[in-house]
Amino acid sequence: MIKLKERFLTDEKGDPIGVVLDIEEYFKLLEELEELESIHAFDLARASNDEAIPFKQAIYEIEHK
C-alpha cells in the first residue's frame, strides 16, 4: 500500500476541492491503478467462460479487424 502525503486544497468555506500529491506518489498511484485494471480485466475474462486462444492468434485478429 502506498503511503500518501497528500495536501488538500480548499475553497473559501474550507470545503475540500482538490488534492496535491508529490509527483513520485502520483506516478506510483498510476502504476498501482494499471495493475488493478489488469487484475480486473483478467478476472472478467476468466468469468466470461470464453474459449482461450493463443496470444499470436489474438493479436492477428485484433490487427485485422
Side-chain angles (χ1 to χ4, degrees):
M1 181 108 185
I2 297 174
K3 192 80 169 170
L4 298 177
K5 297 176 218 134
E6 70 271 12
R7 293 168 298 235
F8 295 94
L9 301 175
T10 58
D11 63 13
E12 60 277 350
K13 297 178 189 173
D15 296 325
I17 58 170
V19 177
V20 176
L21 297 172
D22 291 334
I23 195 71
E24 293 166 3
E25 291 176 341
Y26 172 74
F27 286 121
K28 285 179 186 176
L29 278 176
L30 288 180
E31 287 177 20
E32 292 287 326
L33 179 59
E34 286 180 20
E35 186 172 339
L36 286 173
E37 288 173 339
S38 295
I39 292 168
H40 181 67
F42 175 81
D43 290 343
L44 288 176
R46 216 165 165 198
S48 72
N49 294 322
D50 285 345
E51 178 185 345
I53 61 172
F55 181 74
K56 286 183 180 181
Q57 180 182 344
I59 296 300
Y60 178 84
E61 290 179 13
I62 291 169
E63 289 177 347
H64 291 90
K65 284 189 177 182

